[in-house]
Amino acid sequence: MANNPQGPEGNYDPAGSTQMFRAFVDDEGGRRQQQRAAAPSSSGGPRIGVIVGVIVAIAVVAGVAWLALA
């Protein structure tokens, strides 16, 4: 094991997978920041869907209650 390179912490990483993982994480972090900056207007989309869904659910419950009491 005299020829095995050591990392900064002294742990041997034969495949260099730690470095590859760090590069992958750093690359993904950059992509997420670009997506957040490019799509602030789309954040209202799901909220509108939830609001419409709640209104429809209230209308259905009110309709069922009206039919049950009529």
Side-chain angles (χ1 to χ4, degrees), residues 15-16 23 27 31 46 48 59:
D27 185 42
R31 289 183 188 168
I48 293 173

Side-chain angles (χ1 to χ4, degrees), residues 15-41:
S17 59
T18 301
Q19 288 81 10
M20 291 187 295
F21 176 74
R22 287 181 180 163
F24 171 76
V25 170
D26 291 341
D27 185 42
E28 286 296 316
R31 289 183 188 168
R32 288 183 184 156
Q33 289 176 352
Q34 290 173 353
Q35 288 175 352
R36 287 181 190 156
S41 62

